Amino acid sequence: MENVKVFSIIIAVFSALSVESVGLKDLKTCNFGAVYNFGDSNSDTGGGSAAFWPAGKPCGETFFGRPVGRGCDGRLIIDFIAEHLGLPHLSPYLDSIGTSFRYGANFAIGGSTIRPQNESMSLNGVSPFSLDIQIVQFDQFKDRTGHFYNRSYPRHRRNLPRPEDFSKALYIFDIGQNDIAAGLRKKNDSAFHASVPDIVDQLAKAVQNLNEHGARTFWVHNTGPIGCLPVSLHYHDIKPEELDEQGCLKAQNAYSMEFNRQLKARVIKLREELPHAALTYVDIYAAKYELIGNAKKQGFVEAANICCGFHEDEIQVYCGHKQNINGTEIYAGSCENPSDFISWDGVHYTEAANRWVAHRIINGSFSDPPLPIKHACHKP
């Protein structure tokens, strides 16, 4: 408990310094009436479960007490962002049951990429809901909800977004990891590097499209260190020279860093192209890498350890699955204390790790410009 109090003080100090460092100490807090998110499984709050098959137990056990469509034991970074802004957790756009879109919607789907891939969900887990499709869904969502809102009785409007909130909403992008994974699968460095400008341009086109329809505040996450994911470390015959000082695969992280370098440059260019918009580039890579490098100091076990799943003696059973091994059925359940782990299932982070990262980015200390998320509508 004492560590939580100390950490809260640190966050408050960083937040104050971030605002003061860019001369915005007296800025008013942004009034984000809604949040719209576009992404992959790192921010999917149930879209994938609605579109394909539901995330089963033990996902959701820590916070929700049941599976709720998240590839995690509890909340994701996007959930902590919504809570910080005083908003409910985002409803998935594709979820038709018990859904409210009054305060935004989540278009993220697990397995999604920025650039459409000539692959499939059944083949290798790639979603057909690439970013361009998510933007089309948003455009339709905005048009249709506006139509019904203006023609409904007040009591029927309570689950619909207010039309005036679209221009005051926060638009979040958390996507790109699966584009990098696709590049790694093809094992062609030159082809991947040649594709990166087009990948970041397609994300830029998504921002431009939203801006043309009135969006003004954008919060863009770069991608995390894919070479640090335990799934990468458990499924490869790795030589010591392939690892960096944190035990991560250098070659895979190089893909992430190149994508992030070009993404940041494109975001900076977008600021010139969209003079009325406020764009924040968020260094998720740096925040996650810092957590991985200081896992034990922050109260976690080794970063490469996986909470949910069975990974022993070259036997790999994914989280929540069963498999018959030599006549014995193995159930890949969760660990006793998920909050001790960074990795939930080898790919996704636990709620505890998501909370740690979320608290590091919402104060602006990993952002360009270094503004807390509640001030992201302002241009320094």
Side-chain angles (χ1 to χ4, degrees), residues 116-261:
Q117 302 290 321
N118 187 25
E119 298 177 312
S120 70
M121 180 63 74
S122 60
L123 179 65
N124 45 31
V126 174
S127 163
F129 297 98
S130 50
L131 182 58
D132 58 335
I133 300 300
Q134 294 181 27
I135 296 300
V136 169
Q137 291 175 329
F138 171 82
D139 290 342
Q140 182 179 203
F141 171 86
K142 186 172 184 288
D143 289 342
R144 295 188 68 201
T145 56
H147 171 85
F148 288 112
Y149 188 92
N150 292 324
R151 288 163 177 77
S152 298
Y153 291 108
R155 68 177 180 274
H156 295 150
R157 296 175 177 174
R158 63 181 181 272
N159 291 327
L160 297 176
R162 292 178 288 258
E164 64 268 21
D165 283 346
F166 282 102
S167 62
K168 297 182 291 185
L170 177 66
Y171 293 82
I172 299 176
F173 288 85
D174 189 346
I175 191 167
Q177 180 171 304
N178 292 315
D179 294 87
I180 294 170
L184 290 168
R185 281 195 300 274
K186 295 170 184 175
K187 299 180 180 180
N188 188 327
D189 290 355
S190 59
F192 170 76
H193 289 295
S195 72
V196 174
D198 181 59
I199 296 172
V200 298
D201 271 343
Q202 292 205 29
L203 191 147
K205 288 177 183 177
V207 172
Q208 291 166 334
N209 178 289
L210 293 172
N211 182 76
E212 289 172 6
H213 288 81
R216 290 295 179 265
T217 305
F218 302 93
W219 183 265
V220 182
H221 293 183
N222 70 9
T223 195
I226 195 169
C228 298
L229 295 178
V231 70
S232 300
L233 302 172
H234 280 264
Y235 291 88
H236 293 84
D237 184 17
I238 301 171
K239 299 176 182 177
E241 59 268 24
E242 296 180 271
L243 302 175
D244 65 12
E245 64 275 12
Q246 307 301 349
C248 304
L249 287 164
K250 291 186 285 188
Q252 292 196 7
N253 277 352
Y255 272 47
S256 296
M257 288 187 285
E258 178 59 21
F259 169 81
N260 292 342
R261 183 187 68 81

